[in-house]
Amino acid sequence: MSPALPEEVPEPPELPAVAPQLRALRRRASLTLEVAARSAGLSPAHLSRLETGQRQPSLPMLLALARIYGTTVSELLGETPADRESVVRARTMEATEAGGWTYFQAGAPGRGMQALRVHVPYGSQGDIVRVHPGEEWLYVLEGRLRLRLGDTSYRLDPGDSAHFDSLTPHRIAAADESGAELLFVHTLLQSPTAALCLGPAAGPIREA
């Protein structure tokens, strides 16, 4: 019977450069060691050893970490990324629908920060509270928005904006039946659904 394959596969000498890159990209994604390790199916101690160069990652590990950090294996290995377009033309923006919301990619993909134009219809996802590592910034273009941060609820009118830590439980909903249009910027993050959604909102709410 053949022996089991080792968890780590020896790599060429130049690969120790992957260690600081792993740490830098995890921090860029605003993920703690514990959250990133859990998402990749590793122990925090194992991921720490990868980040300090004490162990070398296998290809499956690199693929998993690249997905979690929202990047590519090439960038994890420190290779020079291909040039990205700096300008996104309106005619090239394609609508993507998810959970009733409509998203338009307003920035280049594959970056640590993602920019979107979002249409939030009335009543859609309005009872979902989210919490995850990272930061979010939004700017209301049209309509009125209800934003709940922790136990405080805000009404945002056109021209209003908000910038908050995504670890604060938050909920976004259109305040009017016509819905709301916003610009939305967030740090790129790939997290398990369970880590993103807490479920229907509950508890007292303060108006601000």
Side-chain angles (χ1 to χ4, degrees):
M1 183 169 132
S2 300
L5 291 175
E7 193 172 23
E8 289 82 30
V9 178
E11 301 285 0
E14 70 270 18
L15 278 182
V18 75
Q21 192 76 352
L22 285 174
R23 183 186 293 110
L25 290 171
R26 173 175 61 78
R27 290 175 175 172
R28 187 183 76 179
S30 300
L31 290 172
T32 65
L33 190 72
E34 291 74 16
V35 169
R38 183 171 64 248
S39 300
L42 303 172
S43 68
H46 194 151
L47 182 55
S48 178
R49 287 192 288 270
L50 293 177
E51 290 188 353
T52 55
Q54 298 176 45
R55 292 193 176 181
Q56 295 291 350
S58 64
L59 180 57
M61 286 181 192
L62 287 175
L63 289 170
L65 291 171
R67 177 184 57 79
I68 292 163
Y69 299 159
T71 186
T72 64
V73 171
S74 294
E75 188 172 8
L76 284 179
L77 294 175
E79 297 176 358
T80 303
D83 291 339
R84 298 186 179 104
E85 289 291 336
S86 298
V87 175
V88 179
R89 302 292 184 185
R91 63 179 179 272
T92 66
M93 294 183 186
E94 295 185 1
T96 300
E97 294 191 9
W101 291 19
T102 303
Y103 302 85
F104 294 87
Q105 189 79 35
R111 294 187 182 271
M113 184 176 68
Q114 289 289 288
L116 303 166
R117 178 165 179 158
V118 184
H119 174 70
V120 182
Y122 184 72
S124 180
Q125 301 187 34
D127 62 346
I128 295 178
V129 180
R130 296 173 172 84
V131 58
H132 52 88
E135 290 183 64
E136 296 182 31
W137 175 88
L138 59 85
Y139 178 91
V140 181
L141 295 169
E142 299 176 15
R144 298 186 303 167
L145 198 72
R146 285 281 184 189
L147 171 66
R148 177 176 172 180
L149 295 175
D151 295 331
T152 304
S153 181
Y154 303 86
R155 192 190 76 177
L156 277 63
D157 297 321
D160 291 342
S161 63
H163 188 175
F164 54 92
D165 188 325
S166 305
L167 285 174
T168 302
H170 52 283
R171 183 182 67 175
I172 298 171
D176 302 318
E177 291 187 4
S178 57
E181 294 279 338
L182 38 137
L183 291 178
F184 183 75
V185 178
H186 67 102
T187 52
L188 186 60
L189 179 65
Q190 307 260 348
S191 290
T193 303
L196 296 175
C197 302
L198 296 180
I205 301 176
R206 298 192 308 273
E207 293 287 339

